Amino acid sequence: MLPLAMLIPAALQIAEMAAPQLGRWIAGEGGEKVARQVVGVAQAVTGQDSPEAAQAALRADPVLVIEMQRHLKDVELALYKAETERLDIVNRTMQIEVASSDWYVRRWRPTMGYALTATWVLSVLMIVSTVLYSVIDEPGMAAVVIDAIAGLVSALSVMMGFALTVLGINAAKRSEDKKVLAGMQPVGIVEALASRIGRAAR
């Protein structure tokens, strides 16, 4: 079995030739599974035993690239379907929260949004005031302080990233609910992708 350190780059190179949009799946969480699918499809289509030989065969024969694209459409559609199902579970959970008789269960996401905004504002004010203090009153420590702040910002960005992911899903769901109230029929990811693939095939 190909080591992960070699698998991901090989899959990215193969995807770049036939389906660049799969790159975000390969490089993302759970990318190993997608990478093995891409490499497996490439080897099956080309009849080669290694990713390197499969890449060479794809470069040499555009017909194989077209065949590869056809197979990878199925992989991409399955990925979007799985993502849609995951988001659907999240959305149903949020709907249950909104309908809950417990006030805090209904309001925890907005509360999180307010808390995140307050944290962001306080962090910016603290960073700016610290930099100004070090530059004006302790210029000899400015470089040390700025390096320390860079590390702090990097650490905070991870925490903020998780929080923003939760709030992003919440905002997307609220946008969908507003479309429904306005009489618009929301289109799911799978339906949109299937429609796009159908148009491309015609």
Side-chain angles (χ1 to χ4, degrees):
M1 184 177 288
L2 199 66
L4 185 60
M6 299 173 60
L7 174 68
I8 298 296
L12 286 171
Q13 290 172 14
I14 292 171
E16 185 63 31
M17 287 188 285
Q21 66 274 15
L22 287 176
R24 74 180 186 92
W25 300 98
I26 297 170
E29 185 180 355
E32 180 179 357
K33 180 180 178 182
V34 181
R36 294 200 184 282
Q37 285 181 295
V38 171
V39 171
V41 169
Q43 292 178 189
V45 167
T46 60
Q48 302 297 326
D49 294 330
S50 70
E52 294 79 10
Q55 289 177 51
L58 288 168
R59 290 192 188 98
D61 191 347
V63 174
L64 289 178
V65 175
I66 294 172
E67 182 68 11
M68 180 78 179
Q69 289 173 336
R70 188 174 67 81
H71 285 284
L72 289 183
K73 288 292 184 187
D74 294 334
V75 173
E76 186 182 5
L77 190 59
L79 289 169
Y80 275 114
K81 182 178 180 181
E83 179 68 6
T84 300
E85 289 172 353
R86 186 185 70 81
L87 291 175
D88 187 51
I89 292 171
V90 173
N91 289 337
R92 286 201 300 269
T93 301
M94 290 168 56
Q95 289 170 359
I96 292 171
E97 290 172 357
V98 171
S100 173
S101 59
D102 187 318
W103 180 88
Y104 193 71
V105 170
R106 294 197 310 270
R107 299 294 300 171
W108 80 267
R109 289 179 195 270
T111 301
M112 184 177 179
Y114 297 136
L116 184 63
T117 301
T119 301
W120 182 82
V121 171
L122 290 173
S123 298
V124 170
L125 290 175
M126 179 195 71
I127 290 170
V128 170
S129 61
T130 302
V131 170
L132 288 176
Y133 173 79
S134 64
V135 169
I136 295 171
D137 289 350
E138 297 288 344
M141 295 293 293
V144 176
V145 170
I146 291 173
D147 284 342
I149 286 175
L152 174 64
V153 170
S154 178
L156 285 174
S157 65
V158 175
M159 179 184 70
M160 293 284 191
F162 283 116
L164 288 171
T165 299
V166 174
L167 294 177
I169 293 172
N170 188 35
K173 178 58 183 154
R174 286 178 61 83
S175 297
E176 181 180 312
D177 290 342
K178 288 178 181 177
K179 288 181 180 179
V180 172
L181 289 173
M184 299 172 61
Q185 181 63 36
V187 178
I189 295 174
V190 173
E191 290 83 355
L193 182 62
S195 175
R196 191 179 311 162
I197 292 172
R199 288 197 302 270
R202 288 199 293 268

